Amino acid sequence: MTVRLRGRSLRTRLLFFIGVTLAVVCAAMAVTTIFAQQRYLLGSLDDRVANAVARSQGGARLHPELDSNLGFLNESGQPAGTLAARLDADGTLLTAQVVAQDAAPQNLTHAQRSALAGIRPDGRMHTRTVPGLGTYRITAIGGTSGNGVRVLTGLPMDDVQNMIRGLVVVEAVVAAVGLTVAGCLCAVVIRRQLRPLGRVAATAVEVSRAPLGRGAVVGLTRVPERDTDPGSEAGQVGAALNRMIDHVESSLAERQAGEERMRRFLADASHELRTPLASIAGYAELMNRGTQRIEPAMAWRRVSAESARMTGLVEDLLLLARLDEGRPLQSAEVDLAAVVAESVWDARAAGENHNWQLALLLDSPALVSGDEARLHQVVANLLANARVHTPPGTTVVASVEVVDERCVVRVRDDGPGIPPHLLPSVFERFTRADVSRARTGPHDGGSGLGLAIVTAIVSAHGGSIGVESVPGHTEFTIELPTATPAPQPTPTRPDLRTTIRS
Protein backbone atom coordinates (compact mmCIF):
# COMPACT_ATOMS: atom_id res chain seq x y z
CA MET A 1 0.00 0.00 0.00
CA THR A 2 2.83 2.40 0.89
CA VAL A 3 4.55 1.72 -2.44
CA ARG A 4 1.34 2.44 -4.32
CA LEU A 5 0.82 5.72 -2.47
CA ARG A 6 4.31 6.98 -3.29
CA GLY A 7 3.25 7.65 -6.84
CA ARG A 8 0.19 9.59 -5.76
CA SER A 9 -0.09 13.31 -5.24
CA LEU A 10 0.46 14.88 -1.84
CA ARG A 11 -3.23 15.80 -1.71
CA THR A 12 -4.26 12.15 -2.20
CA ARG A 13 -1.78 10.87 0.38
CA LEU A 14 -2.82 13.43 2.97
CA LEU A 15 -6.48 12.66 2.41
CA PHE A 16 -5.82 8.91 2.65
CA PHE A 17 -3.80 9.11 5.87
CA ILE A 18 -6.22 11.54 7.48
CA GLY A 19 -9.15 9.31 6.51
CA VAL A 20 -7.44 6.21 7.92
CA THR A 21 -6.61 8.08 11.12
CA LEU A 22 -10.19 9.30 11.53
CA ALA A 23 -11.54 5.83 10.83
CA VAL A 24 -9.24 4.29 13.45
CA VAL A 25 -10.19 6.96 15.98
CA CYS A 26 -13.90 6.50 15.28
CA ALA A 27 -13.59 2.71 15.56
CA ALA A 28 -11.71 3.01 18.84
CA MET A 29 -14.28 5.43 20.24
CA ALA A 30 -17.17 3.21 19.10
CA VAL A 31 -15.63 0.05 20.59
CA THR A 32 -14.89 1.87 23.84
CA THR A 33 -18.41 3.29 24.02
CA ILE A 34 -20.04 -0.07 23.25
CA PHE A 35 -17.84 -1.89 25.74
CA ALA A 36 -18.54 0.66 28.47
CA GLN A 37 -22.27 0.63 27.74
CA GLN A 38 -22.31 -3.16 27.73
CA ARG A 39 -20.54 -3.30 31.07
CA TYR A 40 -22.99 -0.81 32.52
CA LEU A 41 -26.06 -2.59 31.20
CA LEU A 42 -24.69 -5.98 32.24
CA GLY A 43 -23.95 -4.69 35.73
CA SER A 44 -27.46 -3.33 36.02
CA LEU A 45 -28.88 -6.67 34.85
CA ASP A 46 -26.69 -8.52 37.35
CA ASP A 47 -28.11 -6.39 40.14
CA ARG A 48 -31.63 -7.23 39.03
CA VAL A 49 -30.75 -10.92 38.83
CA ALA A 50 -29.29 -10.80 42.34
CA ASN A 51 -32.42 -9.14 43.68
CA ALA A 52 -34.63 -11.64 41.86
CA VAL A 53 -32.76 -14.67 43.23
CA ALA A 54 -32.96 -13.22 46.74
CA ARG A 55 -36.73 -12.83 46.41
CA SER A 56 -37.00 -16.32 45.00
CA GLN A 57 -35.07 -17.74 47.95
CA GLY A 58 -37.31 -15.82 50.33
CA GLY A 59 -40.40 -17.28 48.68
CA ALA A 60 -38.95 -20.80 48.68
CA ARG A 61 -38.19 -20.65 52.43
CA LEU A 62 -41.90 -20.44 53.14
CA HIS A 63 -42.16 -24.09 52.11
CA PRO A 64 -38.71 -25.59 52.48
CA GLU A 65 -40.11 -29.12 52.68
CA LEU A 66 -41.64 -28.83 49.19
CA ASP A 67 -38.66 -29.23 46.87
CA SER A 68 -40.79 -28.83 43.79
CA ASN A 69 -42.70 -25.77 45.00
CA LEU A 70 -42.17 -22.69 42.79
CA GLY A 71 -45.24 -20.86 43.94
CA PHE A 72 -43.28 -17.66 44.41
CA LEU A 73 -43.30 -17.28 40.64
CA ASN A 74 -47.02 -16.58 40.89
CA GLU A 75 -46.40 -13.53 43.00
CA SER A 76 -47.03 -10.15 41.43
CA GLY A 77 -44.08 -8.20 40.19
CA GLN A 78 -42.36 -11.12 38.49
CA PRO A 79 -41.44 -9.94 34.97
CA ALA A 80 -42.27 -12.12 31.99
CA GLY A 81 -39.43 -14.39 31.05
CA THR A 82 -38.15 -14.80 34.61
CA LEU A 83 -36.73 -18.25 35.04
CA ALA A 84 -36.57 -20.06 38.43
CA ALA A 85 -35.59 -23.52 39.65
CA ARG A 86 -35.10 -25.54 42.86
CA LEU A 87 -31.83 -27.42 43.38
CA ASP A 88 -30.87 -30.30 45.59
CA ALA A 89 -27.66 -30.54 47.58
CA ASP A 90 -25.75 -31.80 44.54
CA GLY A 91 -26.91 -28.90 42.38
CA THR A 92 -29.28 -31.00 40.32
CA LEU A 93 -32.44 -29.26 39.15
CA LEU A 94 -35.52 -30.57 40.97
CA THR A 95 -37.97 -28.37 39.15
CA ALA A 96 -37.71 -25.36 36.80
CA GLN A 97 -40.28 -22.96 35.38
CA VAL A 98 -40.39 -19.75 33.42
CA VAL A 99 -42.88 -16.88 33.82
CA ALA A 100 -45.00 -16.61 30.70
CA GLN A 101 -46.65 -13.51 29.34
CA ASP A 102 -50.25 -13.31 30.72
CA ALA A 103 -50.21 -17.02 31.65
CA ALA A 104 -49.21 -19.34 34.44
CA PRO A 105 -45.54 -20.30 34.80
CA GLN A 106 -44.53 -23.07 32.43
CA ASN A 107 -42.25 -25.99 33.15
CA LEU A 108 -38.98 -26.16 31.24
CA THR A 109 -38.38 -28.93 28.78
CA HIS A 110 -35.61 -31.46 29.17
CA ALA A 111 -33.42 -29.57 26.66
CA GLN A 112 -34.01 -26.33 28.45
CA ARG A 113 -33.21 -27.91 31.81
CA SER A 114 -30.01 -29.36 30.33
CA ALA A 115 -28.88 -25.81 29.42
CA LEU A 116 -29.06 -24.94 33.14
CA ALA A 117 -27.05 -27.89 34.35
CA GLY A 118 -23.76 -27.38 36.14
CA ILE A 119 -24.60 -24.07 37.82
CA ARG A 120 -23.55 -24.29 41.45
CA PRO A 121 -25.33 -22.28 44.18
CA ASP A 122 -22.36 -20.00 44.87
CA GLY A 123 -23.85 -16.65 43.78
CA ARG A 124 -21.77 -16.28 40.66
CA MET A 125 -23.30 -14.90 37.50
CA HIS A 126 -23.54 -17.10 34.40
CA THR A 127 -24.66 -16.50 30.86
CA ARG A 128 -26.52 -19.39 29.26
CA THR A 129 -28.52 -19.79 26.09
CA VAL A 130 -31.78 -21.59 26.81
CA PRO A 131 -33.34 -23.20 23.74
CA GLY A 132 -36.59 -21.54 22.83
CA LEU A 133 -36.14 -18.79 25.44
CA GLY A 134 -32.98 -16.97 24.41
CA THR A 135 -29.92 -15.86 26.34
CA TYR A 136 -30.19 -15.53 30.13
CA ARG A 137 -28.16 -14.10 32.92
CA ILE A 138 -28.39 -16.74 35.70
CA THR A 139 -27.21 -17.20 39.26
CA ALA A 140 -27.92 -19.70 42.03
CA ILE A 141 -27.69 -19.38 45.84
CA GLY A 142 -28.37 -21.75 48.70
CA GLY A 143 -27.62 -22.64 52.30
CA THR A 144 -24.46 -24.32 53.53
CA SER A 145 -26.21 -27.10 55.41
CA GLY A 146 -28.12 -29.98 54.01
CA ASN A 147 -31.48 -28.46 54.81
CA GLY A 148 -30.72 -25.12 53.11
CA VAL A 149 -33.02 -23.82 50.37
CA ARG A 150 -31.26 -23.65 47.06
CA VAL A 151 -32.78 -21.70 44.22
CA LEU A 152 -31.73 -20.68 40.70
CA THR A 153 -33.00 -17.53 39.04
CA GLY A 154 -32.34 -15.97 35.67
CA LEU A 155 -33.48 -12.96 33.67
CA PRO A 156 -33.45 -12.67 29.87
CA MET A 157 -30.70 -10.58 28.24
CA ASP A 158 -32.72 -9.67 25.18
CA ASP A 159 -33.11 -6.04 26.23
CA VAL A 160 -29.39 -5.68 26.85
CA GLN A 161 -28.47 -7.35 23.57
CA ASN A 162 -31.02 -5.37 21.62
CA MET A 163 -29.74 -2.16 23.14
CA ILE A 164 -26.14 -3.08 22.35
CA ARG A 165 -27.06 -3.98 18.78
CA GLY A 166 -28.93 -0.71 18.42
CA LEU A 167 -25.95 1.15 19.83
CA VAL A 168 -23.66 -0.59 17.33
CA VAL A 169 -25.94 0.41 14.46
CA VAL A 170 -26.13 4.00 15.68
CA GLU A 171 -22.36 4.17 16.16
CA ALA A 172 -21.79 2.74 12.68
CA VAL A 173 -24.19 5.20 11.04
CA VAL A 174 -22.79 8.15 12.97
CA ALA A 175 -19.21 7.08 12.17
CA ALA A 176 -20.02 6.64 8.48
CA VAL A 177 -21.73 10.03 8.26
CA GLY A 178 -19.00 11.68 10.33
CA LEU A 179 -16.22 10.16 8.24
CA THR A 180 -17.95 11.21 5.03
CA VAL A 181 -18.43 14.78 6.23
CA ALA A 182 -14.91 14.91 7.69
CA GLY A 183 -13.45 13.49 4.47
CA CYS A 184 -15.23 16.10 2.37
CA LEU A 185 -14.15 18.91 4.67
CA CYS A 186 -10.57 17.60 4.74
CA ALA A 187 -10.54 17.36 0.95
CA VAL A 188 -11.70 20.97 0.66
CA VAL A 189 -9.29 22.22 3.33
CA ILE A 190 -6.34 20.29 1.90
CA ARG A 191 -7.11 21.53 -1.60
CA ARG A 192 -7.27 25.14 -0.40
CA GLN A 193 -4.17 24.85 1.75
CA LEU A 194 -2.14 23.22 -1.01
CA ARG A 195 -3.06 25.79 -3.65
CA PRO A 196 -0.02 28.00 -2.80
CA LEU A 197 2.23 24.96 -3.08
CA GLY A 198 0.63 24.15 -6.43
CA ARG A 199 1.32 27.66 -7.67
CA VAL A 200 4.92 27.37 -6.47
CA ALA A 201 5.26 24.07 -8.32
CA ALA A 202 3.76 25.62 -11.47
CA THR A 203 6.27 28.47 -11.25
CA ALA A 204 9.14 26.00 -10.84
CA VAL A 205 7.93 24.04 -13.87
CA GLU A 206 7.69 27.22 -15.95
CA VAL A 207 11.20 28.30 -14.92
CA SER A 208 12.57 24.82 -15.71
CA ARG A 209 11.27 25.18 -19.27
CA ALA A 210 13.05 28.49 -19.83
CA PRO A 211 16.04 28.31 -22.23
CA LEU A 212 18.66 29.02 -19.57
CA GLY A 213 21.51 27.75 -21.70
CA ARG A 214 21.38 30.37 -24.39
CA GLY A 215 20.57 34.02 -24.90
CA ALA A 216 19.78 36.68 -22.34
CA VAL A 217 17.75 35.31 -19.46
CA VAL A 218 15.62 38.04 -17.92
CA GLY A 219 12.10 38.30 -16.65
CA LEU A 220 11.79 34.77 -15.29
CA THR A 221 8.47 34.06 -13.65
CA ARG A 222 8.38 34.66 -9.91
CA VAL A 223 6.17 33.18 -7.21
CA PRO A 224 3.42 35.71 -6.36
CA GLU A 225 4.04 37.72 -3.21
CA ARG A 226 0.98 36.25 -1.52
CA ASP A 227 2.65 32.82 -1.73
CA THR A 228 5.92 33.94 -0.09
CA ASP A 229 4.67 34.39 3.47
CA PRO A 230 7.47 33.10 5.76
CA GLY A 231 4.86 32.06 8.31
CA SER A 232 3.88 29.01 6.25
CA GLU A 233 5.89 26.16 4.80
CA ALA A 234 4.59 26.83 1.30
CA GLY A 235 5.50 30.50 1.71
CA GLN A 236 9.03 29.56 2.77
CA VAL A 237 9.37 27.36 -0.31
CA GLY A 238 8.03 30.16 -2.52
CA ALA A 239 10.41 32.72 -1.03
CA ALA A 240 13.33 30.31 -1.39
CA LEU A 241 12.37 29.67 -5.03
CA ASN A 242 12.24 33.41 -5.74
CA ARG A 243 15.69 33.85 -4.18
CA MET A 244 16.99 30.97 -6.26
CA ILE A 245 15.52 32.51 -9.43
CA ASP A 246 17.17 35.82 -8.53
CA HIS A 247 20.49 34.04 -8.10
CA VAL A 248 20.01 32.23 -11.40
CA GLU A 249 19.24 35.46 -13.25
CA SER A 250 22.17 37.31 -11.67
CA SER A 251 24.52 34.39 -12.32
CA LEU A 252 23.40 34.08 -15.93
CA ALA A 253 23.66 37.82 -16.43
CA GLU A 254 27.15 37.78 -14.94
CA ARG A 255 28.09 34.84 -17.11
CA GLN A 256 26.76 36.56 -20.20
CA ALA A 257 28.61 39.75 -19.28
CA GLY A 258 31.76 37.71 -18.73
CA GLU A 259 31.35 36.02 -22.10
CA GLU A 260 30.80 39.39 -23.72
CA ARG A 261 33.92 40.75 -22.04
CA MET A 262 35.84 37.67 -23.13
CA ARG A 263 34.70 38.09 -26.74
CA ARG A 264 35.60 41.78 -26.66
CA PHE A 265 38.90 40.94 -25.00
CA LEU A 266 39.78 38.38 -27.66
CA ALA A 267 38.79 40.78 -30.43
CA ASP A 268 40.83 43.64 -28.95
CA ALA A 269 43.80 41.39 -28.23
CA SER A 270 43.69 40.04 -31.77
CA HIS A 271 43.51 43.56 -33.16
CA GLU A 272 46.39 44.74 -30.99
CA LEU A 273 48.54 41.78 -31.97
CA ARG A 274 47.59 41.99 -35.63
CA THR A 275 48.89 45.55 -36.02
CA PRO A 276 52.54 44.87 -35.03
CA LEU A 277 52.48 41.52 -36.79
CA ALA A 278 51.26 43.21 -39.98
CA SER A 279 54.05 45.77 -39.71
CA ILE A 280 56.67 43.09 -39.09
CA ALA A 281 55.34 41.02 -42.01
CA GLY A 282 55.31 44.08 -44.26
CA TYR A 283 58.88 45.08 -43.52
CA ALA A 284 60.01 41.47 -43.88
CA GLU A 285 58.34 41.28 -47.28
CA LEU A 286 59.99 44.51 -48.38
CA MET A 287 63.37 43.25 -47.26
CA ASN A 288 62.75 39.94 -49.00
CA ARG A 289 62.12 41.74 -52.30
CA GLY A 290 65.36 43.64 -52.12
CA THR A 291 67.07 46.49 -50.39
CA GLN A 292 66.32 49.11 -52.99
CA ARG A 293 62.87 49.95 -51.68
CA ILE A 294 63.81 50.48 -48.01
CA GLU A 295 66.95 50.85 -45.99
CA PRO A 296 67.73 47.70 -44.00
CA ALA A 297 68.63 49.68 -40.87
CA MET A 298 65.29 51.50 -40.82
CA ALA A 299 63.42 48.26 -41.51
CA TRP A 300 65.18 46.53 -38.64
CA ARG A 301 64.42 49.46 -36.34
CA ARG A 302 60.75 49.29 -37.24
CA VAL A 303 60.68 45.50 -36.83
CA SER A 304 62.38 45.79 -33.45
CA ALA A 305 59.96 48.52 -32.32
CA GLU A 306 56.90 46.52 -33.34
CA SER A 307 58.36 43.39 -31.76
CA ALA A 308 58.91 45.27 -28.51
CA ARG A 309 55.38 46.59 -28.68
CA MET A 310 53.98 43.12 -29.24
CA THR A 311 56.19 41.67 -26.50
CA GLY A 312 54.92 44.28 -24.05
CA LEU A 313 51.34 43.49 -24.95
CA VAL A 314 51.91 39.76 -24.52
CA GLU A 315 53.59 40.33 -21.15
CA ASP A 316 50.68 42.48 -20.00
CA LEU A 317 48.20 39.80 -21.03
CA LEU A 318 50.28 37.14 -19.29
CA LEU A 319 50.41 39.23 -16.11
CA LEU A 320 46.64 39.70 -16.15
CA ALA A 321 46.13 35.97 -16.67
CA ARG A 322 48.38 35.15 -13.72
CA LEU A 323 46.59 37.65 -11.50
CA ASP A 324 43.21 36.28 -12.59
CA GLU A 325 44.36 32.80 -11.59
CA GLY A 326 45.15 34.10 -8.12
CA ARG A 327 48.83 33.23 -8.21
CA PRO A 328 50.55 34.56 -5.09
CA LEU A 329 52.79 37.60 -5.45
CA GLN A 330 56.03 38.18 -3.62
CA SER A 331 55.42 39.53 -0.16
CA ALA A 332 57.81 41.82 1.69
CA GLU A 333 57.67 45.06 3.60
CA VAL A 334 57.55 47.90 1.10
CA ASP A 335 57.98 51.62 1.77
CA LEU A 336 55.19 53.01 -0.38
CA ALA A 337 56.49 56.58 -0.06
CA ALA A 338 59.81 55.57 -1.62
CA VAL A 339 58.00 53.71 -4.41
CA VAL A 340 55.86 56.74 -5.26
CA ALA A 341 58.87 59.08 -5.13
CA GLU A 342 60.87 56.90 -7.51
CA SER A 343 57.90 56.66 -9.86
CA VAL A 344 57.52 60.45 -9.92
CA TRP A 345 61.22 60.88 -10.78
CA ASP A 346 60.85 58.34 -13.58
CA ALA A 347 57.76 60.15 -14.89
CA ARG A 348 59.64 63.48 -14.83
CA ALA A 349 62.34 61.97 -17.01
CA ALA A 350 59.76 60.63 -19.47
CA GLY A 351 57.52 63.71 -19.60
CA GLU A 352 59.47 66.95 -19.22
CA ASN A 353 56.56 69.04 -20.51
CA HIS A 354 54.40 68.29 -17.46
CA ASN A 355 54.51 69.79 -14.01
CA TRP A 356 55.18 66.89 -11.58
CA GLN A 357 54.57 67.22 -7.84
CA LEU A 358 55.09 64.80 -4.96
CA ALA A 359 53.26 65.24 -1.63
CA LEU A 360 54.20 63.00 1.32
CA LEU A 361 51.51 63.67 3.96
CA LEU A 362 52.95 61.32 6.54
CA ASP A 363 52.97 61.14 10.31
CA SER A 364 54.18 57.54 10.24
CA PRO A 365 55.97 55.29 7.73
CA ALA A 366 53.81 54.20 4.78
CA LEU A 367 54.70 50.52 5.03
CA VAL A 368 52.71 47.83 3.23
CA SER A 369 53.18 44.11 2.62
CA GLY A 370 53.45 43.21 -1.03
CA ASP A 371 55.48 42.96 -4.20
CA GLU A 372 57.58 46.11 -4.59
CA ALA A 373 58.01 45.69 -8.35
CA ARG A 374 54.26 45.33 -8.92
CA LEU A 375 53.44 48.27 -6.67
CA HIS A 376 55.96 50.36 -8.60
CA GLN A 377 54.20 49.25 -11.79
CA VAL A 378 50.86 50.43 -10.36
CA VAL A 379 52.10 53.96 -9.65
CA ALA A 380 54.08 54.10 -12.89
CA ASN A 381 51.01 53.11 -14.93
CA LEU A 382 48.90 55.83 -13.30
CA LEU A 383 51.55 58.48 -13.92
CA ALA A 384 52.05 57.28 -17.49
CA ASN A 385 48.30 57.41 -18.01
CA ALA A 386 48.28 61.03 -16.84
CA ARG A 387 51.30 61.89 -19.02
CA VAL A 388 49.93 60.33 -22.20
CA HIS A 389 46.34 61.54 -21.95
CA THR A 390 46.87 65.12 -20.83
CA PRO A 391 48.31 68.01 -22.82
CA PRO A 392 51.72 69.56 -22.07
CA GLY A 393 51.76 71.90 -19.07
CA THR A 394 49.35 69.76 -17.06
CA THR A 395 50.09 69.54 -13.33
CA VAL A 396 50.22 65.98 -11.99
CA VAL A 397 50.35 65.49 -8.21
CA ALA A 398 51.15 62.15 -6.54
CA SER A 399 50.49 62.04 -2.78
CA VAL A 400 50.94 59.43 -0.06
CA GLU A 401 49.30 59.42 3.38
CA VAL A 402 48.28 56.98 6.12
CA VAL A 403 44.64 57.10 7.21
CA ASP A 404 43.07 54.63 9.67
CA GLU A 405 45.66 51.90 9.10
CA ARG A 406 45.36 52.31 5.35
CA CYS A 407 48.01 53.68 3.02
CA VAL A 408 46.35 56.00 0.53
CA VAL A 409 48.01 56.97 -2.76
CA ARG A 410 46.40 59.66 -4.90
CA VAL A 411 47.33 60.66 -8.44
CA ARG A 412 45.49 63.71 -9.71
CA ASP A 413 45.86 66.05 -12.64
CA ASP A 414 44.16 69.18 -13.93
CA GLY A 415 43.76 67.89 -17.47
CA PRO A 416 40.58 67.68 -19.55
CA GLY A 417 39.25 64.71 -17.57
CA ILE A 418 37.74 61.38 -18.52
CA PRO A 419 34.52 61.45 -20.56
CA PRO A 420 31.54 60.51 -18.33
CA HIS A 421 30.51 57.61 -20.55
CA LEU A 422 33.91 55.95 -20.03
CA LEU A 423 34.04 56.21 -16.22
CA PRO A 424 32.05 52.99 -15.54
CA SER A 425 34.41 50.95 -17.73
CA VAL A 426 37.68 52.80 -17.27
CA PHE A 427 39.26 49.86 -15.37
CA GLU A 428 38.19 47.25 -17.92
CA ARG A 429 40.66 45.75 -20.37
CA PHE A 430 41.28 47.47 -23.72
CA THR A 431 39.30 50.53 -22.64
CA ARG A 432 40.49 53.72 -24.27
CA ALA A 433 39.33 57.28 -24.01
CA ASP A 434 37.81 59.31 -26.81
CA VAL A 435 39.60 62.04 -28.74
CA SER A 436 40.73 63.86 -25.60
CA ARG A 437 42.53 60.72 -24.38
CA ALA A 438 43.08 58.74 -27.57
CA ARG A 439 46.40 57.77 -29.07
CA THR A 440 47.51 60.21 -31.74
CA GLY A 441 50.61 58.42 -32.92
CA PRO A 442 52.20 55.01 -32.97
CA HIS A 443 54.19 55.79 -29.83
CA ASP A 444 51.43 57.54 -27.87
CA GLY A 445 49.16 55.79 -25.42
CA GLY A 446 49.03 52.07 -24.99
CA SER A 447 46.92 49.02 -25.55
CA GLY A 448 44.28 49.89 -22.97
CA LEU A 449 45.56 47.39 -20.41
CA GLY A 450 47.32 49.78 -18.04
CA LEU A 451 44.40 50.53 -15.70
CA ALA A 452 43.23 46.91 -15.86
CA ILE A 453 46.68 45.81 -14.66
CA VAL A 454 46.58 48.45 -11.91
CA THR A 455 43.22 47.16 -10.70
CA ALA A 456 44.35 43.52 -10.74
CA ILE A 457 47.57 44.24 -8.80
CA VAL A 458 45.80 46.40 -6.20
CA SER A 459 43.14 43.73 -5.69
CA ALA A 460 45.84 41.06 -5.32
CA HIS A 461 47.30 43.15 -2.47
CA GLY A 462 43.91 43.35 -0.72
CA GLY A 463 43.35 46.98 -1.66
CA SER A 464 40.90 49.03 -3.67
CA ILE A 465 41.06 51.68 -6.38
CA GLY A 466 38.63 54.37 -7.42
CA VAL A 467 38.49 57.35 -9.78
CA GLU A 468 36.74 60.71 -9.86
CA SER A 469 36.91 62.86 -12.95
CA VAL A 470 35.48 66.15 -14.09
CA PRO A 471 36.99 68.64 -16.54
CA GLY A 472 40.02 70.13 -14.80
CA HIS A 473 40.29 67.48 -12.08
CA THR A 474 40.93 63.76 -12.42
CA GLU A 475 41.96 61.80 -9.33
CA PHE A 476 42.80 58.11 -8.91
CA THR A 477 42.78 56.86 -5.30
CA ILE A 478 44.48 53.65 -4.15
CA GLU A 479 44.02 52.24 -0.64
CA LEU A 480 46.24 49.46 0.69
CA PRO A 481 46.35 47.92 4.17
CA THR A 482 49.38 48.93 6.20
CA ALA A 483 51.93 46.35 7.28
CA THR A 484 51.80 47.55 10.91
CA PRO A 485 49.08 49.47 12.78
CA ALA A 486 49.49 53.17 12.20
CA PRO A 487 49.65 55.47 15.27
CA GLN A 488 47.17 58.27 15.75
CA PRO A 489 48.13 61.35 13.66
CA THR A 490 49.47 64.42 15.42
CA PRO A 491 47.60 67.50 14.13
CA THR A 492 50.36 69.94 15.12
CA ARG A 493 53.03 68.21 13.04
CA PRO A 494 53.53 69.98 9.67
CA ASP A 495 53.01 68.01 6.45
CA LEU A 496 56.10 66.95 4.53
CA ARG A 497 55.67 68.08 0.93
CA THR A 498 58.15 67.63 -1.85
CA THR A 499 57.60 69.30 -5.19
CA ILE A 500 59.33 68.24 -8.35
CA ARG A 501 59.00 70.54 -11.29
CA SER A 502 60.21 69.84 -14.77
Side-chain angles (χ1 to χ4, degrees):
M1 180 64 70
T2 304
V3 176
R4 293 180 180 178
L5 287 176
R6 287 179 182 175
R8 301 293 182 179
S9 65
L10 178 60
R11 183 185 298 109
T12 301
R13 285 182 287 169
L14 284 176
L15 189 59
F16 174 78
F17 286 118
I18 291 175
V20 170
T21 302
L22 290 177
V24 171
V25 171
C26 288
M29 292 179 61
V31 170
T32 302
T33 302
I34 292 172
F35 180 76
Q37 187 69 19
Q38 185 180 21
R39 290 294 300 271
Y40 173 78
L41 294 175
L42 195 59
S44 177
L45 180 60
D46 288 345
D47 292 339
R48 289 164 52 199
V49 172
N51 292 333
V53 75
R55 289 197 305 270
S56 298
Q57 188 181 43
R61 284 176 178 174
L62 297 178
H63 305 282
E65 72 283 358
L66 301 177
D67 294 340
S68 61
N69 187 345
L70 296 176
F72 56 83
L73 292 178
N74 295 320
E75 296 177 359
S76 60
Q78 295 288 353
T82 301
L83 184 149
R86 295 286 294 271
L87 305 175
D88 60 10
D90 297 331
T92 303
L93 271 68
L94 299 176
T95 181
Q97 293 181 349
V98 61
V99 178
Q101 183 72 28
D102 298 331
Q106 299 178 359
N107 293 323
L108 297 183
T109 63
H110 177 73
Q112 293 172 340
R113 290 164 62 94
S114 299
L116 303 177
I119 298 177
R120 300 183 62 82
D122 53 7
R124 295 182 179 180
M125 295 293 174
H126 301 270
T127 300
R128 297 291 179 88
T129 299
V130 181
L133 298 180
T135 304
Y136 273 74
R137 193 70 169 168
I138 301 172
T139 188
I141 58 175
T144 58
S145 60
N147 56 1
V149 178
R150 300 174 181 84
V151 296
L152 180 148
T153 303
L155 294 178
M157 296 180 61
D158 294 341
D159 293 342
V160 174
Q161 292 179 335
N162 291 336
M163 187 172 293
I164 295 299
R165 283 193 290 269
L167 182 61
V168 170
V169 173
V170 171
E171 290 281 356
V173 173
V174 172
V177 174
L179 287 175
T180 301
V181 175
C184 295
L185 291 178
C186 288
V188 174
V189 172
I190 291 174
R191 181 182 296 273
R192 291 178 61 87
Q193 294 300 318
L194 290 182
R195 283 178 182 173
L197 190 58
R199 290 191 289 266
V200 171
T203 302
V205 171
E206 186 173 353
V207 171
S208 67
R209 294 174 178 173
L212 303 180
R214 62 181 186 276
V217 179
V218 294
L220 292 177
T221 304
R222 298 296 198 280
V223 177
E225 185 176 358
R226 59 176 178 172
D227 296 331
T228 58
D229 183 9
S232 64
E233 290 76 4
Q236 295 173 5
V237 174
L241 181 60
N242 279 351
R243 289 193 297 270
M244 184 188 71
I245 295 174
D246 292 338
H247 293 330
V248 169
E249 277 194 349
S250 61
S251 299
L252 292 176
E254 184 177 353
R255 186 189 70 179
Q256 186 178 11
E259 292 175 352
E260 182 63 29
R261 287 194 299 269
M262 179 59 67
R263 286 192 293 267
R264 187 170 64 252
F265 171 79
L266 292 176
D268 292 338
S270 301
H271 177 75
E272 290 293 332
L273 290 173
R274 183 178 61 182
T275 301
L277 285 175
S279 298
I280 293 173
Y283 284 111
E285 180 65 23
L286 288 176
M287 294 178 65
N288 186 42
R289 292 181 180 180
T291 58
Q292 294 79 11
R293 299 191 179 190
I294 188 170
E295 296 182 1
M298 186 185 72
W300 280 116
R301 285 197 303 272
R302 297 303 306 147
V303 169
S304 298
E306 294 298 336
S307 298
R309 176 183 171 189
M310 186 169 61
T311 300
L313 176 61
V314 172
E315 289 178 351
D316 289 344
L317 292 175
L318 181 60
L319 174 61
L320 286 173
R322 289 175 177 174
L323 293 174
D324 289 342
E325 291 177 359
R327 294 187 183 182
L329 299 174
Q330 295 182 2
S331 181
E333 191 175 76
V334 179
D335 187 351
L336 201 58
V339 171
V340 174
E342 293 176 0
S343 300
V344 172
W345 280 102
D346 294 340
R348 176 183 177 275
E352 297 180 352
N353 296 326
H354 286 68
N355 182 20
W356 302 97
Q357 295 184 8
L358 172 65
L360 302 179
L361 313 176
L362 299 174
D363 295 296
S364 60
L367 301 179
V368 298
S369 296
D371 189 330
E372 182 176 359
R374 295 306 177 195
L375 292 175
H376 187 280
Q377 184 179 5
V378 167
V379 182
N381 281 2
L382 292 179
L383 294 175
N385 186 71
R387 173 177 56 82
V388 171
H389 298 301
T390 57
T394 301
T395 299
V396 182
V397 181
S399 64
V400 184
E401 59 181 323
V402 179
V403 180
D404 296 333
E405 300 184 4
R406 305 281 289 181
C407 289
V408 181
V409 178
R410 292 185 173 88
V411 177
R412 65 178 180 271
D413 63 71
D414 56 0
I418 303 174
H421 69 277
L422 288 180
L423 278 177
S425 60
V426 71
F427 294 111
E428 294 182 2
R429 300 170 188 182
F430 296 107
T431 298
R432 298 190 184 90
D434 57 359
V435 178
S436 62
R437 286 186 178 240
R439 291 182 295 175
T440 58
H443 302 287
D444 296 330
S447 59
L449 296 176
L451 293 181
I453 293 175
V454 168
T455 304
I457 295 176
V458 171
S459 299
H461 283 79
S464 61
I465 184 172
V467 61
E468 295 178 357
S469 182
V470 293
H473 180 83
T474 298
E475 181 174 308
F476 289 87
T477 303
I478 298 174
E479 294 186 7
L480 295 172
T482 57
T484 56
Q488 295 295 329
T490 304
T492 58
R493 183 175 179 180
D495 295 336
L496 175 61
R497 294 180 180 269
T498 302
T499 302
I500 305 175
R501 299 179 183 274
S502 57

